[in-house]
């Protein structure tokens, strides 16, 4: 399929079906990694959802949804939660980024160590 000079194919479109993508671990969503980190920080401090949510100015139900990766909080909300947990927005962001990097490196090590099997059609 030829492309128009100003148009480009969309990744995952029909042209990509013939190419086999390299196996990769699904990337976790930012909101999921953020939620896991927020829950870990809260639990390290032995706090309840009610205590942390109260200091951040949000409902415990909303905090629960954020921790479970169900809600995509605004940057202001993330900053409020970081402050309630004794860290900064930058510090929390760095922690989440380190966790995501660690997951990626762990997957890369596993995929290099795993044997590859090729199947031939008869």
């Amino acid at each position: 399929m030829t492309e128009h000079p100003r148009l480009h194919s969309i990744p995952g479109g029909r042209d990509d079906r013939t190419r086999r993508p390299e196996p990769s671990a699904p990337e976790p969503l930012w909101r999921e990694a953020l939620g896991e980190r927020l829950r870990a920080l809260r639990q390290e401090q032995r706090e309840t959802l009610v205590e942390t949510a109260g200091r951040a100015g949000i409902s415990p139900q909303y905090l629960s949804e954020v921790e479970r990766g169900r809600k995509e909080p605004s940057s202001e909300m993330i900053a409020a939660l970081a402050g309630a947990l004794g860290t900064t927005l930058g510090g929390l962001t760095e922690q989440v980024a380190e966790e995501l990097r660690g997951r990626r490196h762990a997957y890369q090590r596993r995929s290099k160590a795993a044997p590859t099997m090729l199947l031939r059609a008869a």
Side-chain angles (χ1 to χ4, degrees), residues 4-100:
H4 188 275
R6 292 187 315 207
L7 300 176
H8 304 284
S9 63
I10 298 171
R14 284 187 292 196
D15 288 346
D16 290 346
R17 289 183 194 162
T18 57
R19 289 185 237 137
R20 291 200 167 209
E22 292 185 26
S24 63
E27 285 276 340
L29 296 175
W30 171 259
R31 70 176 186 251
E32 294 170 346
L34 172 66
E36 289 172 12
R37 188 67 200 133
L38 288 169
R39 176 172 281 156
L41 285 170
R42 180 178 61 78
Q43 290 176 341
E44 287 169 10
Q45 297 175 18
R46 293 190 167 95
E47 288 197 354
T48 65
L49 284 166
V50 173
E51 293 167 332
T52 303
R55 279 199 317 283
I58 62 173
S59 73
Q61 294 83 2
Y62 183 77
L63 176 55
S64 174
E65 290 186 88
V66 169
E67 286 185 351
R68 289 181 288 136
R70 303 270 173 102
K71 293 289 184 183
E72 186 84 51
S74 67
S75 58
E76 291 86 359
M77 189 65 61
I78 298 169
L81 287 165
L85 291 166
T87 188
T88 64
L89 178 59
L92 179 60
T93 303
E94 288 173 2
Q95 292 172 33
V96 174
E98 286 173 20
E99 173 65 25
L100 291 172

